[in-house]
Amino acid sequence: AQKITQTQPGMFVQEKEAVTLDCTYDTSDQSYGLFWYKQPSSGEMIFLIYQGSYDEQNATEGRYSLNFQKARKSANLVISASQLGDSAMYFCAMSSLFGTGTSLTVIP
Amino acid sequence: NAGVTQTPKFQVLKTGQSMTLQCAQDMNHEYMSWYRQDPGMGLRLIHYSVGAGITDQGEVPNGYNVSRSTTEDFPLRLLSAAPSQTSVYFCASRRTGTYGYTFGSGTRLTVV
């Protein structure tokens, strides 16, 4: 069975600093995809970034990057130069399976 | 704007009532899914569809039915509402392959 684990219920980061949100996964599939989504306080879900299991390079999308370590089964999200608007819940997902989320607060 | 449209945004039901949550997308996405979001539990998959005429159960399907008669529409039916179905419901769609979901704005359902 597949599993997604986010062990950080809440994180704080100073504005303009970088922050890493942890995500580990478990699957017996050889081919799989890992996703990160953002949920602001307004409630909508926003797709941020995707990493395929066969991708050799770590995915990047603007200030978001995915630190993919296949052997360790981890897919951590790195947000660089944090902004106040980054305060939100962040969910890691593998295909249709979601983790429990990490609440990020950016401190001015 | 193209996207996933969910209605209604809010709904209060009495125990035992039935209702249908509507979901429509205009992006010609093959995959459509229904999730429920409860505090501390992330999003849990209720039902999903890989194309018109094809549906399957997710992690928490009991008490819910779906159908997919067209590519665009994927309604979720609550057969006999229970307080345990109080939740926020999200409909989502995506293309097959390496694409993330596009989510609807959600339906906040309260069963009293």
Side-chain angles (χ1 to χ4, degrees):
Chain A
Q2 296 185 329
K3 189 175 181 181
I4 286 276
T5 303
Q6 293 181 256
T7 57
Q8 305 157 314
M11 291 281 288
F12 291 86
V13 64
Q14 204 75 37
E15 193 177 7
K16 300 180 185 177
E17 297 292 314
V19 63
T20 298
L21 306 183
D22 294 341
C23 174
T24 59
Y25 62 92
D26 194 15
T27 181
S28 56
D29 293 342
Q30 296 301 308
S31 177
Y32 50 88
L34 295 155
F35 302 81
W36 278 91
Y37 295 85
K38 173 183 179 180
Q39 187 178 39
S41 58
S42 53
E44 74 266 33
M45 293 285 292
I46 303 165
F47 164 64
L48 293 178
I49 195 167
Y50 163 82
Q51 178 83 43
S53 58
Y54 290 118
D55 294 342
E56 295 187 354
Q57 304 262 5
N58 285 341
T60 60
E61 288 288 346
R63 294 186 298 110
Y64 304 108
S65 61
L66 204 153
N67 183 2
F68 181 48
Q69 298 188 45
K70 194 171 181 178
R72 299 181 63 182
K73 294 189 174 180
S74 73
N76 299 338
L77 178 70
V78 180
I79 305 175
S80 63
S82 296
Q83 302 172 357
L84 296 178
D86 294 333
S87 293
M89 284 289 292
Y90 289 82
F91 293 94
C92 179
M94 181 166 54
S95 298
S96 297
L97 179 65
F98 281 73
T100 53
T102 295
S103 175
L104 177 67
T105 302
V106 180
I107 303 167
Chain B
N1 288 339
V4 179
T5 302
Q6 268 185 256
T7 56
K9 291 192 184 302
F10 301 93
Q11 183 70 49
V12 178
L13 287 180
K14 293 183 178 179
T15 297
Q17 286 185 318
S18 63
M19 79 160 294
T20 299
L21 306 185
Q22 301 292 344
C23 177
Q25 54 94 6
D26 57 2
M27 298 171 285
N28 204 31
H29 286 174
E30 298 92 346
Y31 265 85
M32 295 188 75
S33 300
W34 276 102
Y35 287 90
R36 60 177 289 171
Q37 183 176 23
D38 301 293
M41 303 190 73
L43 281 80
R44 292 183 292 169
L45 183 64
I46 304 171
H47 285 285
Y48 66 97
S49 169
V50 300
I54 306 168
T55 64
D56 207 346
Q57 296 181 351
E59 180 186 356
V60 289
N62 292 342
Y64 308 95
N65 273 355
V66 293
S67 60
R68 184 103 179 263
S69 56
T70 66
T71 299
E72 294 77 21
D73 299 300
F74 192 44
L76 177 72
R77 297 182 187 84
L78 279 70
L79 308 172
S80 177
S84 61
Q85 293 178 306
T86 293
S87 188
V88 179
Y89 291 85
F90 285 99
C91 179
S93 73
R94 67 177 178 88
R95 285 191 279 170
T96 53
T98 61
Y99 300 98
Y101 276 115
T102 299
F103 280 82
S105 56
T107 296
R108 186 172 294 275
L109 175 69
T110 302
V111 182
V112 298

